């Protein structure tokens, strides 16, 4: 392998040449403490910055195996190191100068959730560490400024790496605390299963965020406190005793006046499928990790989905066992979301009236009297919510402040009052007894057998060069095929959308053979990522630095929303 001196000589030899000469620097070089690889060189100083990675041997990095001996702990350590490294390089960002992106130094920005990212990966076998970053190779105009790149690679980077990626140099107790928090969080996840709970919210948690555009905790918020009747206590391996609200499996209703904190609680539960960093306020808000937020999603596309559980006898005799549309209504979209989440294997639905289609959620008594059941295609969710739990094992947590109908099917009723929860189950049930129950569904409960086979169409296939584009948190684009993902509220990071774009592209090219079902495709994908990491998805010779792993639920959701996949039944 070439040495760092070779790289320096090469850079000096191309100084003041035209920009494309940087391409000759591509390759790997041995530095004192790591191997530096220039994986991809940008085309010009204004293009997306170049990709550089550092590889540190396990022996040299020196992290004790107990810090990364389980998958969640490894992800937590990777996340911790990435944050440390990010803080280091921030000080050098654009210190080297030039045109356009010259001098840029960046790594993935981590938010409040702890996610698996390609930007920092520890090999579970030998403990070696790979850090992937972006550097804007300096130029003035299109003339290479090699001296500036030498400053970045030889003066700035080695120190940043030294101070953040080697166990011997960093705060060992902070690493230890990261691992311990993770073990405590995983402990709660296991307890949820053992105790038949679908979520846990520790007393003292801070649920609201500081503003609509910041995910940081709100200062001066009312800390969470469980009602006594729902309080459960656990002995966490590190933090010790913790108490909080345990939401039992089944049907849970959250009511309360406007602005009393209902949606804030639900939002925290939605993101409780991920672990949160220390100081977030939601460290011990843990939700069944398969939980799916269900909402109306007008105008989404639906392909060959059996929504007959909720919708039947559409005008014109349209088949709802194989329902397809390019432009769904509120109720059909929410019905499809239920069925698709079941297909993805969820055991918890999270629903907020604020974002639901009313006619999908309820149908009141008076309306039932005036418009006969036979004239109403929709069997509302309320008529199926108990069957979903009892026959399919899927619990529901439903925020509904404006209709009392759900008092009947609910097992537990929680009222949010001035941001605190109260258990009002007994009172709500007593009041509800005086009112007629919701009519049971007229057709028997069944879930489809989910043997749907996707087939790529149109611009998804056939191109020699695939163009992949990510539209922030809005959606992804492969060639001309745009998939709208903006309503998948549990996507926590734009890098998850990037990964979904690669997942879609990979499955189109390697897995969708006209025989595999969607489930088989998702299984194969997950096995591959488990085994080979996110890098398994990259077709190109270099791995984009910016992939973050989405859950199985979002993989299904993405493939189901792609307008250029047409589904057939097995
Ligand atoms: P609802 O859904 O019941 O109408 P929201 O959950 O939207 O109410 O909350 C209303 C407002 O109160 C939001 O601005 C939110 O940030 C704030 N809020 C929520 N929980 C708390 C809390 N524990 N302490 C302080 N403010 C809170
Ligand atoms: Mg609300």
């Amino acid at each position: 392998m070439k040495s760092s001196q070779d790289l320096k000589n090469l850079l000096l030899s191309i100084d003041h040449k035209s920009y494309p000469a940087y391409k000759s620097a591509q390759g790997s070089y041995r530095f004192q403490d790591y191997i530096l690889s220039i994986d991809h060189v940008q085309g010009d100083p204004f293009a997306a910055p170049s990709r550089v990675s550092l590889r540190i041997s396990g022996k040299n990095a020196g992290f004790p195996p107990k810090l990364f001996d389980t998958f969640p702990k490894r992800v937590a350590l990777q996340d911790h190191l990435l944050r440390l490294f990010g803080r280091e390089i921030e000080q050098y960002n654009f210190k080297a100068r030039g045109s356009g992106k010259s001098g840029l130094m960046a790594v993935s920005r981590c938010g409040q959730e702890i996610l698996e990212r390609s930007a920092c990966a520890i090999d579970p076998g030998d403990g070696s560490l790979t850090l992937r970053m972006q550097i804007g190779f300096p130029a003035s105009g299109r003339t290479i400024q090699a001296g500036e790149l030498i400053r970045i690679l030889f003066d700035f980077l080695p120190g940043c790496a030294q101070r953040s990626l080697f166990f011997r140099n960093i705060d060992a107790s902070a690493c230890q605390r990261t691992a311990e928090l993770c073990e405590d969080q995983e402990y709660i996840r296991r307890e949820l299963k053992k105790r038949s709970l679908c979520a846990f919210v520790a007393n003292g948690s801070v649920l609201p965020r500081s503003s609509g555009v910041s995910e940081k905790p709100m200062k001066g918020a009312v800390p969470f406190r469980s009602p006594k009747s729902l309080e459960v206590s656990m002995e966490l391996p590190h933090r010790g005793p913790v108490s909080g609200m345990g939401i039992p499996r089944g049907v849970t209703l959250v009511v309360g006046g406007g602005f009393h904190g209902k949606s804030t609680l639900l939002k925290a539960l939605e993101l409780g499928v991920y672990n949160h960093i220390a100081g977030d306020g939601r460290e011990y808000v843990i939700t069944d990790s398969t939980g799916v937020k269900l909402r109306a999603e007008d105008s989404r596309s639906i392909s060959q989905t059996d929504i007959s559980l909720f919708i039947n006898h559409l005008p014109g005799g349209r088949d709802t066992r194989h329902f397809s549309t390019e432009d769904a209504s509120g109720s059909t979209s929410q019905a499809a979301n239920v069925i698709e989440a079941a297909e993805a294997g969820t055991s918890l639905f999270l629903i907020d009236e604020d974002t639901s289609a009313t006619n999908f959620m309820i149908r009141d008594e008076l309306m039932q009297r005036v418009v006969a059941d036979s004239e109403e295609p929709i069997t509302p969710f309320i008529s199926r919510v108990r069957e979903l739990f009892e026959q399919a094992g899927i619990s529901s947590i439903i925020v509904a402040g404006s209709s009392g109908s759900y008092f009947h099917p609910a097992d537990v009723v929680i009222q949010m009052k001035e941001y605190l929860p109260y258990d009002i189950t007994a009172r709500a049930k007593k009041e509800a007894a005086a009112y007629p129950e919701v009519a049971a569904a007229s057709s028997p409960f069944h879930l489809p057998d989910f043997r749907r086979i996707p087939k790529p169409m149109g611009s998804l296939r056939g191109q020699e060069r695939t163009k992949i584009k990510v539209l922030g948190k809005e959606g992804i684009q492969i060639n001309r095929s745009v998939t709208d993902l903006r309503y998948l509220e549990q996507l926590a990071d734009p890098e998850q959308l990037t990964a979904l774009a690669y997942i879609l592209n990979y499955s189109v090219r390697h897995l969708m053979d006209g025989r595999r079902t969607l489930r088989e495709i998702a299984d194969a994908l997950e096995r591959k990522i488990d085994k080979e990491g996110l890098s398994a998805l990259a077709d190109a010779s270099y791995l984009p630095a910016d992939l973050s792993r989405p859950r199985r639920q979002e993989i299904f959701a993405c493939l189901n929303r792609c307008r250029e996949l047409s589904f057939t039944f097995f």
Side-chain angles (χ1 to χ4, degrees):
M1 182 182 301
K2 287 181 234 160
S3 69
S4 59
Q5 191 58 47
D6 294 334
L7 175 61
K8 199 180 256 179
N9 295 342
L10 183 142
L11 291 176
L12 290 170
S13 77
I14 59 171
D15 194 19
H16 298 304
K17 287 200 175 149
S18 156
Y19 207 84
Y22 264 141
K23 294 262 181 214
S24 61
Q26 220 153 291
S28 298
Y29 306 90
R30 179 172 298 287
F31 278 60
Q32 194 180 352
D33 291 306
Y34 51 77
I35 291 165
L36 175 112
S37 295
I38 298 176
D39 299 318
H40 176 79
V41 178
Q42 64 204 99
D44 67 72
F46 299 91
S50 305
R51 309 270 186 182
V52 170
S53 59
L54 308 181
R55 208 168 65 250
I56 305 172
S57 72
K59 199 162 146 264
N60 206 355
F63 289 94
K66 68 173 189 338
L67 292 178
F68 62 94
D69 57 5
T70 65
F71 175 71
K73 276 202 279 179
R74 178 153 56 88
V75 171
L77 179 60
Q78 289 167 177
D79 174 271
H80 180 65
L81 299 177
L82 190 55
R83 288 170 201 265
L84 291 182
F85 182 76
R87 247 169 264 156
E88 285 295 333
I89 63 165
E90 211 169 74
Q91 316 161 39
Y92 295 98
N93 192 16
F94 289 113
K95 277 280 157 63
R97 314 203 68 101
S99 322
K101 300 204 171 75
S102 294
L104 173 146
M105 294 176 76
V107 278
S108 298
R109 275 183 179 279
C110 305
Q112 299 299 103
E113 286 80 26
I114 297 169
L115 304 173
E116 182 185 1
R117 294 174 193 269
S118 59
C120 182
I122 296 171
D123 184 314
D126 62 11
S128 64
L129 190 156
T130 305
L131 192 294
R132 298 182 175 88
M133 66 177 300
Q134 305 179 23
I135 296 179
F137 282 14
S140 58
R142 288 180 51 83
T143 306
I144 288 179
Q145 296 297 326
E148 292 297 290
L149 185 55
I150 289 174
R151 277 175 75 204
I152 295 175
L153 299 179
F154 290 82
D155 297 346
F156 302 164
L157 204 48
C160 292
Q162 269 300 339
R163 290 187 296 274
S164 61
L165 302 177
F166 293 84
F167 186 63
R168 58 179 183 270
N169 298 335
I170 66 178
D171 181 354
S173 64
C175 291
Q176 183 65 24
R177 283 196 303 275
T178 298
E180 290 180 354
L181 174 58
C182 177
E183 284 181 353
D184 283 350
Q185 291 166 332
E186 293 306 308
Y187 180 88
I188 300 175
R189 287 194 194 282
R190 286 192 300 274
E191 283 302 295
L192 289 187
K193 289 210 179 98
K194 280 194 206 154
R195 301 183 190 209
S196 260
L197 300 174
C198 44
F200 175 78
V201 184
N203 293 340
S205 295
V206 173
L207 307 188
R209 302 293 95 193
S210 75
S211 78
V213 292
S214 164
E215 282 296 299
K216 295 270 156 57
M218 177 188 276
K219 290 203 181 83
V222 177
F224 191 84
R225 190 185 67 217
S226 172
K228 276 286 163 255
S229 55
L230 294 173
E231 193 164 271
V232 296
S233 297
M234 301 180 187
E235 185 74 24
L236 303 187
H238 303 286
R239 198 187 116 125
V242 56
S243 300
M245 182 168 82
I247 300 180
R249 298 190 47 69
V251 178
T252 303
L253 180 64
V254 180
V255 301
F259 232 62
H260 279 262
K262 303 181 299 294
S263 296
T264 303
L265 171 61
L266 195 78
K267 191 90 229 163
L269 295 174
E270 287 165 25
L271 290 172
V273 300
Y274 302 112
N275 289 344
H276 287 87
I277 54 169
D280 173 80
R282 298 168 296 184
E283 295 94 311
Y284 308 104
V285 178
I286 302 287
T287 308
D288 174 340
S289 40
T290 70
V292 170
K293 170 72 176 285
L294 282 183
R295 56 170 292 161
E297 201 180 330
D298 300 40
S299 82
R300 65 157 285 189
S301 82
I302 297 171
S303 175
Q304 296 282 328
T305 299
D306 180 351
I307 56 170
S308 61
L309 189 61
F310 298 105
I311 301 182
N312 278 296
H313 317 299
L314 282 179
R318 260 178 94 179
D319 185 4
T320 56
R321 291 187 159 264
H322 306 84
F323 188 76
S324 298
T325 176
E326 284 290 318
D327 184 9
S329 65
S331 53
T332 48
S333 64
Q334 205 162 353
N337 289 353
V338 173
I339 301 301
E340 291 168 357
E343 181 174 29
T346 187
S347 47
L348 173 65
F349 291 138
L350 298 154
I351 303 174
D352 194 332
E353 63 179 354
D354 291 356
T355 50
S356 291
T358 311
N359 60 346
F360 176 76
M361 294 304 293
I362 49 170
R363 190 154 179 260
D364 75 12
E365 231 244 326
L366 182 54
M367 188 59 85
Q368 241 159 28
R369 266 190 239 168
V370 176
V371 179
D373 271 355
S374 58
E375 298 162 45
E376 171 54 74
I378 303 176
T379 303
F381 189 77
I382 193 167
S383 304
R384 295 292 191 194
V385 67
R386 286 229 62 87
E387 295 167 327
L388 279 164
F389 176 58
E390 281 152 21
Q391 301 191 42
I394 308 177
S395 300
S396 291
I397 300 175
I398 303 158
V399 169
S402 58
S403 154
S405 317
Y406 275 89
F407 286 149
H408 286 291
D411 296 304
V412 171
V413 183
I414 296 166
Q415 180 180 356
M416 292 303 289
K417 209 154 81 187
E418 313 213 346
Y419 313 131
L420 289 174
Y422 296 85
D423 180 355
I424 60 159
T425 312
R427 189 159 61 84
K429 288 283 183 189
K430 198 166 143 246
E431 293 293 335
Y435 287 79
E437 284 219 29
V438 252
S442 51
S443 58
F445 179 86
H446 76 283
L447 281 177
D449 64 1
F450 300 127
R451 308 220 16 101
R452 297 161 69 230
I453 297 171
K455 200 172 138 226
M457 320 274 288
S459 84
L460 264 189
R461 334 171 325 161
Q463 238 88 359
E464 243 177 43
R465 265 189 63 134
T466 314
K467 277 218 184 80
I468 293 182
K469 208 163 131 190
V470 179
L471 317 161
K473 270 177 102 172
E474 304 279 287
I476 57 175
Q477 183 171 356
I478 293 179
N479 297 328
R480 285 192 319 283
S481 159
V482 176
T483 304
D484 188 346
L485 303 174
R486 81 186 73 188
Y487 294 118
L488 301 183
E489 299 175 71
Q490 289 166 296
L491 284 175
D493 194 293
E495 294 194 349
Q496 291 179 316
L497 282 90
T498 315
L500 284 171
Y502 279 82
I503 283 172
L504 174 56
N505 184 49
Y506 181 89
S507 28
V508 164
R509 262 148 246 286
H510 301 285
L511 298 170
M512 291 180 186
D513 56 4
R515 286 191 299 276
R516 283 194 183 89
T517 63
L518 185 58
R519 273 188 169 171
E520 287 164 348
I521 288 166
D523 290 342
L525 270 167
E526 292 212 294
R527 268 199 310 272
K528 191 167 173 71
I529 304 175
D530 285 343
K531 216 167 108 215
E532 300 166 43
L534 289 163
S535 53
L537 304 173
D539 262 348
S541 55
Y542 70 95
L543 175 66
D546 41 14
L547 303 183
S548 170
R549 183 166 182 176
R551 296 185 308 155
R552 177 180 179 83
Q553 283 68 29
E554 277 74 35
I555 295 177
F556 272 83
C558 173
L559 298 176
N560 272 320
R561 279 160 184 73
C562 177
R563 288 174 192 267
E564 277 74 28
L565 288 180
S566 97
F567 285 83
T568 51
F569 278 91
F570 181 69

